[in-house]
Amino acid sequence: DDEPADSRDRSVFLVRNELPFNAEPELPALIQHMVTPTERFFKRNHGPIPNISADEYSLTVEVAGDGGVRKVWTLAELQSRFRHYEVMAALQCAGNRRDGLNRVKKVKGVIWGPGTISNAVWSGVFLREVLAASGVPTDPTHPMAQTWHVDFSAYGLCVEDASYGSSIPLQTALDPTQDVLLAFGMNGRPLPRDHGYPCRVVVPGIIGARSVKWLQTIRIIPEESHSFFQKRDYKILPPEANATNLADYWDGISALQQMNIQSVVCEPYEGRPAPPENTPYRVTGYAISGGGARVDRVDVSLDNGRTWVPTTLTRPCSSSAARLRPQDRDLPTTKHWAWTLWQVVVPQIPRDAVVVCRAWDANGNTQPEFPVWNYRGVMNNCWFRVDMKKCL
Ligand code: MTE
Ligand code: MO
């Protein structure tokens, strides 16, 4: 059953696949708001959208071995037993900008443009508090906390595996600065079905694939998830990996977690007419890094990278990007989970210009000038170019 329960406005989305439904908004619309309106938030689905009622929902927590601590939570219990938090965080698919790698050489996967990123205010409870109440050791020096993993699996079917699943290190889940949420709400409303109703994981700063929707089971296990999406997908395979030999590389390559440094020009946009020449123009876009690292700087070039101008950055708040409610401001974090929007007014955009952007993060990371091809087409963060000759 893939009956759409949510707004899937065709004038908002570039639909990349109908069944399962995969769609991204066009860039100028994407960055009109710091918090992406829910009906514009990109949708990435590996299978049909489950239809789960709040009354029937339950979440099972298991710990491998030792007879297995096992706890089953109803939605009402999850919502009433734990403190509620709000965290502003962007989700970005590791396949964002896959089209840029596909232009270099054919890749495997949904051919996404640069719109599989969106920024929302998520509300829910902290995963670490639910784990603690489920009997999982939460002392960071406990051997389990140091090496085990939190394996999430979802309700519903999916195309590549029996069900959708993924894992993060237990250490990440337990770290109070990481803000890993079990979310019930998005932008002040219950999660829409397309985004995981009634409960999903939100792991800020980490590739979208780990933020499992329609969460059914959490298993604390000594190794990573055995899911297709952990073991075989979402890895940067070396350039010699291809359709016939890729299995040879799976074991040696890490499953992606933190995102890399990214920035994209949203206006001008190749899908729109070029702005008139000899007129000042506001170049805009988004930028974000992985692991909550702050975006320090975004530069724009109008001559394909020979000369650059700095841009003005807009962050949701200056010190702590994640803390929205006054009572939460003293919680220990300085993480930048939200995206940064940026703009610069240039005197004009010549008709033969190639508009480029590149960003730096607090760790000194910047974007590569050219695409780094890999078979699965993930983590493309090369300089973003808008060729004015390609505008409508
Ligand atoms: N969870 C389930 N159950 N099924 C999925 O297909 N897709 C993942 C993740 N969680 C997925 C999932 C991927 S690859 C991404 S990028 C994000 O959800 C997208 O979240 P969104 O659809 O809310 O934008
Ligand atoms: Mo994704």
Side-chain angles (χ1 to χ4, degrees), residues 34 38 56-57 85 88 91 103 105 116 125 138 209 241 246 251-252 266 278 311 314 331 347 352 374 387:
M34 173 55 77
T38 303
E56 287 161 29
Y57 178 84
Y85 296 88
M88 189 191 291
L91 282 188
R103 280 195 290 270
K105 194 165 88 179
T116 55
V125 298
T138 55
L246 80 168
D251 284 347
C266 296
N278 303 312
T311 69
T314 308
L331 289 175
D352 60 351
N374 60 87
D387 183 345

Side-chain angles (χ1 to χ4, degrees), residues 55-173:
D55 296 342
E56 287 161 29
Y57 178 84
S58 68
L59 169 67
T60 300
V61 181
E62 296 174 2
V63 179
D66 269 355
V69 180
R70 190 170 188 282
K71 182 99 189 148
V72 181
W73 300 96
T74 65
L75 189 66
E77 286 171 332
L78 287 174
Q79 291 180 333
S80 62
R81 302 259 175 105
F82 304 97
R83 222 180 118 180
H84 281 238
Y85 296 88
E86 282 191 344
V87 175
M88 189 191 291
L91 282 188
Q92 182 178 193
C93 184
N96 195 27
R97 303 182 60 195
R98 182 174 283 142
D99 60 349
L101 299 183
N102 194 54
R103 280 195 290 270
V104 175
K105 194 165 88 179
K106 202 174 152 23
V107 298
K108 187 178 180 303
V110 176
I111 304 303
W112 291 113
T116 55
I117 177 171
S118 300
N119 191 43
V121 177
W122 306 97
S123 53
V125 298
F126 279 141
L127 172 62
R128 65 175 193 279
E129 296 184 3
V130 176
L131 294 182
S134 305
V136 178
T138 55
D139 171 0
T141 62
H142 190 284
M144 190 184 274
Q146 304 219 344
T147 58
W148 284 38
H149 297 260
V150 187
D151 176 21
F152 305 114
S153 56
Y155 285 97
L157 302 170
C158 84
V159 177
E160 298 94 335
D161 205 335
S163 64
Y164 189 86
S166 240
S167 66
I168 59 170
L170 180 55
Q171 210 165 44
T172 305

